[in-house]
Amino acid sequence: MRRAAIAALVAGVVGVMTFAIGTEIAGTASAASSPRVLGPGLVTVDVGIHYSKFSFSALSVRPGTTVRFIVRNNDPIHHEFIVGDASVHFRHEHGTEATHPPVPGEVSVAPLDVGETFYRFDRPGRYLFACHLPGHLAYGMKGWVTVTAA
Ligand SMILES: [Cu+2]
């Protein structure tokens, strides 16, 4: 059962790798805002990963919120969690960094491991979070953090 699930997961990821990636970064996909708005100040958010999907796709915070993202990778493959503005995502989608040192908002998580990263949201707007390993963003490993107006 577990082997079959893993095989399906791998097949799914490979299946989407042929799609052009990168075009989604400027996407205008609307994500429903979470009814709960977090912050300001320091808040901790649990981010689960299973079958190459994040456990949620929308998060709302107030300006001046530092989020501690606890990223739990429940898959048998590597993933990463990258949050930031469009330039951050462009760099990662087209870049060559295989893993990420402790830059705020960027963390690589080994199979079945847990990682964490902090990111401070100040300016109102929408900030993409995504996994930029090959094919993962196109497969749907993304979501949005909405920073509400002050
Ligand atoms: Cu991934």
Side-chain angles (χ1 to χ4, degrees):
M1 185 65 188
R2 186 179 162 85
R3 275 183 100 82
I6 292 169
L9 170 74
V10 172
V13 170
V14 172
V16 298
M17 283 176 70
T18 53
F19 287 102
I21 54 177
T23 53
E24 288 206 28
I25 292 170
T28 55
S30 62
S33 294
S34 164
R36 200 162 142 237
V37 183
L38 304 175
L42 177 63
V43 300
T44 298
V45 171
D46 226 73
V47 183
I49 297 174
H50 197 212
Y51 294 141
S52 295
K53 291 283 170 66
F54 290 117
S55 55
F56 61 88
S57 61
L59 180 71
S60 293
V61 303
R62 296 184 178 85
T65 301
T66 296
V67 180
R68 177 190 183 211
F69 292 98
I70 308 288
V71 185
R72 302 176 194 282
N73 182 3
N74 298 301
D75 284 343
I77 59 175
H78 284 84
H79 287 297
E80 63 186 21
F81 177 89
I82 307 287
V83 64
D85 60 21
S87 67
V88 167
H89 289 285
F90 184 88
R91 179 163 53 84
H92 286 282
E93 192 67 10
H94 300 279
T96 55
E97 293 172 42
T99 60
H100 301 288
V103 171
E106 306 182 4
V107 63
S108 299
V109 190
L112 307 174
D113 203 355
V114 180
E116 74 169 27
T117 188
F118 291 80
Y119 195 84
R120 181 179 167 95
F121 298 93
D122 280 319
R123 293 200 334 178
R126 293 205 312 154
Y127 298 81
L128 181 69
F129 62 86
C131 174
H132 290 284
L133 295 192
H136 292 209
L137 174 60
Y139 184 68
M141 282 199 81
K142 64 172 184 176
W144 297 93
V145 177
T146 299
V147 181
T148 61

